[in-house]
Amino acid sequence: MNNFKNLRGTVDLLPEELIKWQNIEKLIVDQLFRASVKEIRTPIIEMTELFMRGIGEATDVVSKEMYTFLDRGERSCTLRPEGTASVVRALIQNGISSKPSQKLWYMGPMFRYERPQAGRQRQFHQLGVEFVGYESVRSDIEIITLAWDILEKLGIKELNLEINTLGDQTDRSNFKDAFLKWLEVNKDSLDIESQKRIDKNPLRILDTKNVQTKSILEDAPRLFDFLSEKSIERYLIIKEKLKLLKIPFIENFNLVRGLDYYTHTAFEITSGALGSQSTVCGGGRYDNLISQMGGTETPAIGFAIGLERLILLSGKDLEQSRETDIYIVNKGFHAETLAMDLSRKLRNYDLKTELDLSGGSFSKQFKKANKIKSKSIIVIGDDEASNQEFIIRLFNNKNSENQEQKIAIEDSIKLEEWINKNLLFKKTSEK
Ligand code: HAM
C-alpha cells in the first residue's frame, strides 16, 4: 500500500492548531471591518502572463519560484505567488474607473517554490490589504499604521518598521544608469549571486545579505540622491507624520523589495523574535502597476502579512478555544431522539453545545463532559424521556443542586430563562 504524504513545504493544519489561526483571523477581520476595509476574493489560479507582467520577469518570484503548468487546454496557468497582481486584474476586469477608490483585503494561500524552513513554506498564507485609487501621503500612513496596529494588537514583540522610498520611474531610471556604471567597475568584488543580478535585476543587489557585498555597496551611488524634489518632499512628510503618530521606524536605503511594481514608499515590518525569516509584513506603493496592466492610471498602496510568521510570533493566549456551554448526556432509544431534537434547538442560541453520540454509560458521558470542562450539562435518560422532560444543571459547581432544573421538552421559555440566568447572563457580566 502507498504511504501518501503531503508535498514538501506544505502543511496540514489540525483542529488544535487551527484554534490559534481562527482567533488571529477573527481579530484581523474585525480590525479591518472597523477600518472600513472590504474583502475581495480572487481565484488561486491565474494566467501565468499576469504575474510575469505584474510582478516582473526578472524577479526571483517569477523566474524561480512559481508553480506553473499547462492545463488540459494547453494554457499556461500559475498558482498565485502573491495577491496584488490578482486584485489589480480583478479590478480592471470589473471596471475600475466606475469605482476609482477602494480599500480591500484578502486572506488565503499563496504558492512559491522556495526552500522550506521555519517560517518559510511553499504553500503559505497571506493577509493582504490594498488601497486602490489613493494617492495622498495620508493613505501611505494609513496603510502602514493599519499593518502596525494589527501586529501590535496580536501582541507581537520586538517589531521594527523599516521604510524607504524608491521614487518614481524617472528617478529610478536615472539612478539605474549611474548604478550600472558603478557596478561595471566593481563587479568582481561582488558575490556571485549579486553578479548574476547585474543584467537581470540590478536594484535587488542593494538588498543583498552578503556581508562583503554590503560593505562594498556603501560606496555605491545612493538611490536617494537621484530623487526629484517632489519625491523627497513626499518621503519627508511620511517620516514626519510617522513621528507625530509615534510609530517608531528606521530608514533603510537598501530596502528595495522583491517585486518590481513598487514606486515611492516601500516598507517592511520585521520581528527580532523570528529567526532568519524575520519579515512579517512587506508592502509599498505601486502607482504604475494598474496602467501597466491595461487599466486607467490609478495610484495604489498595500501590504501583505505572512500568517505562518504571525502564528510563530503570537502568544499562548490566542490558543484558547471557547469553552463548551452545554454537554448533552443521553442514553436510551427515545432519550437519544429527544436529545438530538434538543441539540438542534440549542443551536439557535449563541451557545457552544455538544451532543454525546457515544451511547456509552452515563458515568462515561459525565466523565467526558468533565474532561472538556463543559459549563453545564443536560441529562436525558429513559425516565426523563417517558416524562418528556430533561434535567439541566451547571457542571462542577458547588451550588449546582440549586441551579438544577427539570424542564419540559416543549417548554422553550423556561429553557431560555435558565440559559439567560446561568450562561448568557454570566457571559455578558464577565466581559
Ligand atoms: P512579499 O514581501 O513578497 O510581498 O510577501 C509578504 C509577506 O508574505 C512576507 O513578509 C512574509 O511574511 C510572507 N511570505 C512570503 N513568502 C513566504 C513563504 N514562502 N513562506 C511564508 N511566508 C511568506 C507581497 O507578496 C506583496 N504582494 C505585498 C504587497 C501588497 N505589496 C503591496 N500590496
Side-chain angles (χ1 to χ4, degrees), residues 49 73 93 106 109 141 157 224 226 254 404 420:
E49 185 70 19
Q93 193 176 334
Y106 49 88
I141 303 291
K157 303 262 164 17
F224 195 84
F226 291 79
N254 293 330
E404 178 168 313
N420 272 329

Side-chain angles (χ1 to χ4, degrees), residues 230-252:
K230 214 171 143 206
S231 300
I232 293 180
E233 195 186 316
R234 196 172 200 291
Y235 181 64
L236 294 181
I237 300 175
I238 288 180
K239 287 204 300 179
E240 193 186 316
K241 288 217 184 278
L242 283 174
K243 277 183 199 150
L244 288 172
L245 290 168
K246 299 196 172 59
I247 308 277
F249 64 89
I250 46 175
E251 288 176 271
N252 176 356

Side-chain angles (χ1 to χ4, degrees), residues 85-97:
S86 304
V87 169
V88 165
R89 194 238 349 109
L91 293 181
I92 296 173
Q93 193 176 334
N94 291 284
I96 198 167
S97 42

Side-chain angles (χ1 to χ4, degrees), residues 417-429:
E417 271 173 15
W418 192 94
I419 290 172
N420 272 329
K421 187 165 157 239
N422 295 293
L423 296 172
L424 296 186
F425 169 72
K426 248 180 125 182
K427 223 175 278 156
T428 41
S429 68

Side-chain angles (χ1 to χ4, degrees), residues 61 81-85 106 112 114 119-126 128-130 257-259 261-262 268-269 279-286 301-309:
V61 172
E82 59 106 54
T84 311
Y106 49 88
R112 294 184 193 177
E114 293 192 84
R120 190 162 74 193
Q121 292 174 192
R122 290 181 176 168
Q123 178 180 335
F124 61 100
H125 298 78
Q126 276 186 350
V129 176
E130 314 289 354
R257 310 267 306 123
L259 316 159
Y261 46 64
Y262 293 108
E268 285 187 354
I269 304 177
T279 312
V280 212
C281 171
R285 179 161 281 286
Y286 51 97
I301 181 162
F303 68 80
I305 291 179
L307 295 185
E308 277 73 12
R309 296 184 191 175

